Amino acid sequence: MKQVIYRNLTSKILYLGFILLFTFSTSLIAQEGDAANGKSLFNANCAACHKLDRDMTGPMLRNVEARLAEEEGLDRAWINAWIKNSAGLIKSGDTYANKVYNEWNQTAMTAFPQLSDQDISDILAYTAQPKPEPVVVNGGGGEVVSKEPGVGNNLILGALVVLFGLLALALILVRRTLNRFAEAKGLEVVKEKGTPIWKAFIQNQFLVLVSAIFLLLASGYFVYGYLMQVGVDQGYEPVQPIHYSHRIHAGDNAIDCKYCHSSARVSKHSGIPSLNICMNCHKAIANVAPETLAEGKEYGVDYDAEIQKLYDAVGWDGTGYTGESKPVKWIRIHNLPDFAYFNHSQHVSVAGVECQTCHGPVEEMEIMYQHAPLTMGWCINCHRETNVKVKDNEYYTKIHEELSKKYGVDQLTAAQMGGLECGKCHY
């Protein structure tokens, strides 16, 4: 019997296995990268133009590698070439590259030659992750259960009402008991008719004089207090056309006040930031996190709807500007009289005064309000109590030496530097 050697069969099996391995490699290759590092790279390089689950300046990128492989038959090599030099791929005449370029209004994609193949693998691993499930707050179908404040106070108030009611009832019962006791003993209850209180008051000239003086002083006090509040809007909290949470922006996200109010460093006015400043971030942030959205329900605000108001004002359709913009009629909160001069740059840049000194804990305010009274007395007290920062400030070196000798102090206040002169604030 002749022995058969299966050399050809073995080589064919190995060849078939290699083909199967190569076939499935395109679906597994996105899992080779580090998704955590890919998220950081995505946020640093891609998030300005792309979102995972919706189109923006560029198309959405969730499962982009799998979709390109299934729909266009493109592999990882094509993706690498596109990311590193999309313009070169378009000029080479690549069919799909030119198709994408024309579909997205011939918007040129930034080239990223600095990204290595491993970096791109990490980014694709991040985009291949499944979409996270919505977060359910408090396990109650997504509804926020808010506790009603003042329940304990209501209980205390109710207990006091019951207590006073019982005391009044007890006095009535005591009076009836005493009357019955007197009748049982044969005692006659005599009710004397005295002079009415109002007549006795009128007949006493001293009491009339003292009361008149007291009423005049009290009236003057309340009239003075009322007049001193004219033009003082402390606590003023208007509803703005677009809700803006300083608590989220300045507090949770720690955005510096002068990023939005940039003119406070160089100008008399702090300025109202343009909507382009808002769009620096919200061009990529169209929806807030579920946890933040749930927080908004506590304040009666839908943050996603407010972002949409911003888009309507600037004319942003999610992928580009339409050119149809509308002005936003912001309501001014802090407003000094015309005869009072205040320079933001002098306080912020020269004196180094923190924004919270005048505007209060802005990073905790959901709705911005006027924290300080902004009266003349309030400003003068600040000048009297605040020391001038002269360290590393050549502008104040000579004048500080002269005035410190004059007043015999080591630290000069703003008042000692002329901060109480009328012409400094009134002109």
Side-chain angles (χ1 to χ4, degrees):
M1 179 180 294
K2 187 176 181 180
Q3 186 178 4
V4 180
I5 301 175
Y6 297 96
R7 291 179 179 175
N8 294 335
L9 180 61
T10 304
S11 61
K12 289 181 179 180
I13 292 175
L14 291 175
Y15 181 70
L16 180 61
F18 176 77
I19 292 177
L20 291 174
L21 180 63
F22 179 79
T23 303
F24 287 104
S25 64
T26 55
S27 61
L28 297 175
I29 194 166
Q31 301 176 5
E32 295 173 358
D34 182 0
N37 183 50
K39 181 178 181 180
S40 301
L41 292 170
F42 182 90
N43 291 334
N45 299 282
C46 313
C49 299
H50 295 278
K51 299 287 282 186
L52 289 180
D53 299 303
R54 67 174 183 85
D55 293 338
M56 204 172 66
T57 305
M60 62 180 181
L61 296 182
R62 177 83 68 184
N63 296 321
V64 60
E65 183 177 18
R67 288 188 284 110
L68 288 177
E70 181 180 353
E71 298 172 4
E72 306 294 337
L74 301 175
D75 56 9
R76 174 69 64 82
W78 187 93
I79 297 176
N80 290 351
W82 172 260
I83 293 175
K84 292 183 178 182
N85 188 8
S86 61
L89 198 61
I90 293 171
K91 290 181 179 179
S92 68
D94 184 89
T95 304
Y96 186 70
N98 282 274
K99 176 183 176 183
V100 173
Y101 180 66
N102 293 322
E103 285 181 354
W104 291 91
N105 299 322
Q106 296 186 347
T107 302
M109 176 179 166
T110 304
F112 296 97
Q114 73 276 14
L115 294 178
S116 64
D117 291 345
Q118 183 59 47
D119 290 338
I120 296 175
S121 296
D122 294 344
I123 294 173
L124 292 175
Y126 170 64
T127 62
Q129 288 184 321
K131 186 177 181 180
E133 296 293 331
V135 177
V136 179
V137 181
N138 294 337
E143 297 181 355
V144 178
V145 180
S146 61
K147 297 181 179 180
E148 295 185 2
V151 175
N153 294 336
N154 292 336
L155 290 176
I156 294 174
L157 182 61
L160 290 175
V161 170
V162 173
L163 178 61
F164 283 115
L166 292 175
L167 288 175
L169 181 61
L171 291 175
I172 295 173
L173 293 176
V174 168
R175 180 182 177 186
R176 288 183 178 179
T177 302
L178 291 175
N179 288 336
R180 290 175 182 176
F181 181 77
E183 291 176 359
K185 295 294 184 179
L187 300 175
E188 182 179 357
V189 180
V190 179
K191 297 182 179 179
E192 296 182 358
K193 292 185 177 180
T195 305
I197 295 177
W198 64 271
K199 186 177 290 188
F201 176 79
I202 293 176
Q203 293 174 354
N204 193 322
Q205 296 181 355
F206 177 75
L207 287 177
V208 173
L209 178 62
V210 172
S211 299
I213 294 174
F214 175 79
L215 289 175
L216 288 174
L217 292 175
S219 300
Y221 173 79
F222 285 110
V223 170
Y224 174 79
Y226 172 77
L227 294 178
M228 288 301 293
Q229 292 300 315
V230 174
V232 179
D233 298 321
Q234 186 176 15
Y236 180 49
E237 188 179 21
V239 177
Q240 300 290 355
I242 299 178
H243 181 85
Y244 180 88
S245 173
H246 280 81
R247 176 185 63 85
I248 294 176
H249 293 81
D252 295 345
N253 295 322
I255 298 176
D256 183 50
C257 299
K258 293 181 282 293
Y259 175 77
C260 299
H261 301 281
S262 57
S263 57
R265 290 187 288 248
V266 295
S267 171
K268 171 186 175 181
H269 300 286
S270 62
I272 299 175
S274 67
L275 297 184
N276 288 335
I277 299 294
C278 304
M279 290 301 292
N280 284 343
C281 297
H282 283 287
K283 188 177 178 182
I285 303 173
N287 307 97
V288 300
E291 298 87 347
T292 306
L293 194 63
E295 290 177 4
K297 293 182 180 179
E298 299 178 6
Y299 300 99
V301 179
D302 184 350
Y303 293 130
D304 290 344
E306 299 302 318
I307 295 175
Q308 188 58 48
K309 290 181 182 179
L310 169 64
Y311 288 168
D312 293 340
V314 299
W316 175 261
D317 61 3
T319 58
Y321 291 101
T322 62
E324 299 177 359
S325 60
K326 298 179 290 185
V328 178
K329 298 180 180 180
W330 300 108
I331 302 174
R332 185 168 184 171
I333 301 174
H334 304 85
N335 192 16
L336 292 179
D338 292 339
F339 55 78
Y341 177 82
F342 179 85
N343 192 308
H344 272 85
S345 62
Q346 182 178 359
H347 290 78
V348 174
S349 298
V350 179
V353 177
E354 296 291 337
C355 302
Q356 288 82 352
T357 303
C358 300
H359 296 289
V362 177
E363 68 279 0
E364 300 175 3
M365 297 180 186
E366 178 66 24
I367 300 176
M368 187 67 187
Y369 62 89
Q370 182 175 319
H371 173 78
L374 302 183
T375 60
M376 178 176 173
W378 180 81
C379 295
I380 288 176
N381 287 337
C382 183
H383 282 189
R384 286 172 174 166
E385 298 169 357
T386 304
N387 292 325
V388 177
K389 296 181 180 180
V390 296
K391 184 179 180 181
D392 300 328
N393 193 334
E394 297 179 358
Y395 179 82
Y396 287 113
T397 301
K398 184 176 180 180
I399 192 172
H400 179 267
E401 292 176 355
E402 295 177 355
L403 290 179
S404 60
K405 292 177 182 179
K406 176 182 177 180
Y407 293 108
V409 294
D410 294 329
Q411 288 287 335
L412 290 173
T413 63
Q416 292 169 331
M417 295 280 286
L420 297 186
E421 296 177 8
C422 301
K424 297 289 185 180
C425 304
H426 302 290
Y427 55 94

